[in-house]
Amino acid sequence: MATPTFDPDGSIGVGPQNVTVGCTTPGAVIRYTTDGTEPTETSPSMASGGVIGVDHSLVLKAKAFATGWTASGVKSAVYRMENKVYAWKASPGPAHDGFSWQTAYTTVASGLAASVSGDEVWVAGGIYPERISMKNGVAL
């Protein structure tokens, strides 16, 4: 079974947008999540060509299912609305995707690893006993 596709296939620093989700396997039902978890047969569903409105930072994952077929691989993409990545060692989670203080990475190094040129990594006050490596074009 074909793995779903996204158009656009992730974005950083782009405002609200519509993401078209597709699958080339005829009759496949696409199951998706917006919280970074793997889709299951009980996740929200859509047909190929369906659209998901993205108006906040999220990790979109999709998987195709069809009777008599083995489920597809998981397609994943990050849609980040602003160019900030958050790091806070006491972030409550449960997800740690760096999109907000509540879901901040728990190390500065992981925040830097997730950043791209033009990003700012915001770090909450505290002591972070770790060795970091800066990236070109990233502000800390």
Side-chain angles (χ1 to χ4, degrees), residues 28-51:
V29 173
I30 301 168
R31 302 281 181 171
Y32 67 93
T33 62
T34 58
D35 62 1
T37 59
E38 184 167 328
T40 67
E41 292 188 65
T42 60
S43 299
S45 67
M46 66 172 47
S48 183
V51 174

Side-chain angles (χ1 to χ4, degrees), residues 32-117:
Y32 67 93
T33 62
T34 58
D35 62 1
T37 59
E38 184 167 328
T40 67
E41 292 188 65
T42 60
S43 299
S45 67
M46 66 172 47
S48 183
V51 174
I52 296 173
V54 175
D55 63 358
H56 63 281
S57 294
L58 57 85
V59 176
L60 177 61
K61 291 191 175 185
K63 191 172 186 177
F65 296 86
T67 304
W69 291 75
T70 300
S72 75
V74 176
K75 170 63 179 166
S76 179
V78 174
Y79 297 87
R80 198 164 64 209
M81 296 294 118
E82 58 183 39
N83 292 51
K84 292 179 185 162
V85 177
Y86 297 88
W88 177 28
K89 66 181 179 179
S91 175
H96 296 284
D97 54 26
F99 295 150
S100 70
W101 289 118
Q102 293 298 310
T103 63
Y105 289 109
T106 56
T107 66
V108 177
S110 57
L112 284 167
S115 66
V116 297
S117 183

